[in-house]
Amino acid sequence: MKTNHAGKKRLQQAAAIALAAAAVAGNAMAQDPKMSDGVVRIGVLTDLSGTFSDFAGKGAVEAVKMAVEDFGGKVNGVPIDVIAADHLNKADIAASTAREWIDQRKVDMITDISGSATALAVIKVAGEKKRISIVTGGGTTRVTNEDCTPYSLHYNHDTASLANVAGKYIVKQGGNSWYFITADYSFGYSLQADTTAIIEAAGGKVVGSVKHPFNTSDFSSYLLQAQSSGAKIIGLANGGADTINAIKTAAEFGMLSPASKQKFAGLLMFINDVHALGLKTAQGLFITEGFYWDLNDETRKWSQRFYKRMGKMPSAIQAADYSSTMHYLNAVKAAGTDDPDAVIKKMKETPVNDFYTKNGKIRADGLLVHDMYLMQVKTPAESKGPWDYYNLRATVPGDDAYPPLSASTCPLLKK
């Protein structure tokens, strides 16, 4: 009996060892060293409560989640996780959130990063820690010039493309004298400087400018200064609620009436802004966009899916959030790893072909070069229904919309 008991005990021990070995082997297979910690984690760092929340915000988070769902929820056998946070449009909060995400939560890629100051803060942290960052919601050209990193990409638009498309067209139409109302932060400075260069190159001139605080509600004094300048074009080098408030005040002052000798150029506006203003106020405005939901069958199909989830049509930024996330995940799959060096290399060598853009190219400085669109806001009589807001006036090829790579001051480039 003792011998049988001992033999049974040895069999139980052997079975336990075998189970433990199998568990270790299973864990080893799950923790593929090519896929770091066994999960690909994407962080959507956006404006969830402030001036950019309508065209970024919750819609940006939802667009990224749509991309993950469409991809299948896993890549190279590991799950894809999406987390989000509000950077409150403060660079220090954005930087500390990015640092905590990377150090503590093992985030592999950070996207959206609406706002130029927050974008610059995040790409610096991500670059130092060798994590990929994709800016879709910040416009400053510094992202792919003096502040570029080996791990940062710039999607959707920058101030140079906005200036190239809007500035050239308006000057050609006779709008050759400008006065700027500019947001007092890096994005506003870049947009005014880039547009000024385009205006002057086209034979126009800038007669003056005034800076306003970020997220202000009173534009009266700024508009009166612009009005007294006599400039043919008042350029709004701002975005979000600032642009909307400026246009609403201008309408109250009668500055947007058809009889006015001065016209307005919304240098960074989105379809959400037009929706908030209404066609009666916004009609006739020229707007540069990187995407419009009603361009073709593909854009309409995806945008209708977004509409069912969010109750509104997507902005260009939100469409870019989806596209950039899908491009990232495809690169992870193709590279067979989430190693940032391998993934960024694959992203740069692979064209972007989806509903958002065709034959988009990510350059060595991290800039996605793609077609841009000059839109003019429809009159109420022209619109066939809700969200039918734009007439397409020009499709500008990416190589014309963006400055050439030779003009980039990105330190990664070998001059």
Side-chain angles (χ1 to χ4, degrees):
M1 291 294 293
K2 289 182 180 179
T3 301
N4 290 341
H5 178 73
K8 185 176 181 181
K9 188 174 183 179
R10 284 195 295 272
L11 288 172
Q12 290 173 336
Q13 289 173 337
I17 292 170
L19 286 171
V24 170
N27 287 335
M29 290 178 65
Q31 299 293 329
D32 185 340
K34 294 180 180 179
M35 296 302 295
S36 63
D37 59 342
V39 61
V40 170
R41 184 162 288 115
I42 298 170
V44 187
L45 191 51
T46 187
D47 177 1
L48 290 169
S49 57
T51 188
F52 303 142
S53 59
D54 194 24
F55 56 71
K58 293 179 181 178
V61 179
E62 198 64 28
V64 171
K65 288 181 177 178
M66 287 175 67
V68 171
E69 290 171 14
D70 289 350
F71 197 82
K74 289 186 176 182
V75 58
N76 297 342
V78 303
I80 306 164
D81 184 32
V82 177
I83 61 175
D86 189 345
H87 56 45
L88 302 176
N89 289 307
K90 295 181 179 179
D92 57 340
I93 291 177
S96 63
T97 301
R99 188 172 291 108
E100 188 271 335
W101 274 1
I102 295 168
D103 290 344
Q104 305 299 323
R105 306 190 70 175
K106 308 302 181 185
V107 164
D108 297 287
M109 186 270 277
I110 300 174
T111 192
D112 191 81
I113 330 178
S114 47
S116 291
T118 49
L120 293 174
V122 170
I123 67 172
K124 181 179 180 181
V125 172
E128 291 170 351
K129 295 182 175 294
K130 297 184 177 181
R131 288 294 186 274
I132 293 173
S133 57
I134 306 177
V135 178
T136 65
T140 177
T141 53
R142 287 173 56 183
V143 173
T144 52
N145 281 293
E146 62 265 37
D147 291 294
C148 78
T149 80
Y151 305 98
S152 54
L153 302 178
H154 204 171
Y155 238 77
N156 191 49
H157 72 274
D158 66 8
T159 54
S161 62
L162 299 174
N164 270 330
V165 175
K168 286 180 183 178
Y169 183 90
I170 293 172
V171 171
K172 286 180 179 179
Q173 296 299 308
N176 56 5
S177 63
W178 287 61
Y179 187 95
F180 285 100
I181 297 177
T182 302
D184 192 9
Y185 63 103
S186 57
F187 166 77
Y189 309 151
S190 293
L191 186 51
Q192 179 179 328
D194 291 338
T195 310
T196 296
I198 296 299
I199 292 167
E200 292 176 347
K205 62 180 179 179
V206 175
V207 301
S209 66
V210 63
K211 293 181 174 63
H212 69 81
F214 174 70
N215 205 19
T216 189
S217 58
D218 186 4
F219 278 87
S220 301
S221 64
Y222 311 120
L223 286 164
L224 291 174
Q225 291 178 62
Q227 188 177 45
S228 64
S229 73
K232 294 179 181 178
I233 304 296
I234 299 173
L236 300 177
N238 50 22
D242 286 332
T243 300
I244 291 173
N245 288 334
I247 292 174
K248 284 181 175 178
T249 306
E252 292 171 2
F253 288 178
M255 296 173 69
L256 292 174
S257 70
S260 176
K261 294 181 179 179
Q262 292 179 307
K263 303 300 179 184
F264 280 75
L267 297 176
L268 179 66
M269 291 185 68
F270 297 95
I271 193 170
N272 314 72
D273 301 323
V274 176
H275 187 73
L277 289 165
L279 292 182
K280 185 177 180 181
T281 298
Q283 61 181 310
L285 281 169
F286 284 101
I287 297 173
T288 301
E289 287 272 27
F291 170 87
Y292 177 45
W293 74 269
D294 201 19
L295 279 174
N296 54 54
D297 288 343
E298 280 188 275
T299 59
R300 284 187 284 272
K301 182 178 180 180
W302 182 83
S303 298
Q304 290 291 350
R305 290 178 54 213
F306 182 92
Y307 182 88
K308 288 180 181 179
R309 298 170 75 129
M310 293 300 299
K312 60 183 180 180
M313 286 300 177
S315 70
I317 287 175
Q318 290 158 348
D321 286 321
Y322 178 101
S323 175
S324 61
T325 299
M326 188 64 78
H327 192 60
Y328 168 77
L329 292 173
N330 280 321
V332 172
K333 181 180 179 180
T337 177
D338 59 0
D339 174 74
D341 291 296
V343 174
I344 205 80
K345 180 177 182 295
K346 188 63 67 174
M347 292 182 78
K348 287 182 176 181
E349 67 187 25
T350 307
V352 179
N353 279 300
D354 57 15
F355 74 91
Y356 172 76
T357 193
K358 299 300 180 188
N359 298 315
K361 299 171 292 185
I362 298 177
R363 302 190 317 199
D365 59 354
L367 177 66
L368 173 67
V369 176
H370 63 105
D371 292 352
M372 297 290 287
Y373 307 97
L374 182 69
M375 303 290 187
Q376 188 171 23
V377 179
K378 291 182 174 183
T379 65
E382 290 176 310
S383 177
K384 298 177 181 178
W387 301 98
D388 177 28
Y389 294 156
Y390 289 157
N391 283 314
L392 175 63
R393 295 307 187 204
T395 298
V396 183
D399 289 337
D400 292 335
Y402 293 89
L405 185 61
S406 60
S408 176
T409 59
C410 174
L412 300 177
L413 304 177
K414 296 179 181 179
K415 298 293 185 179

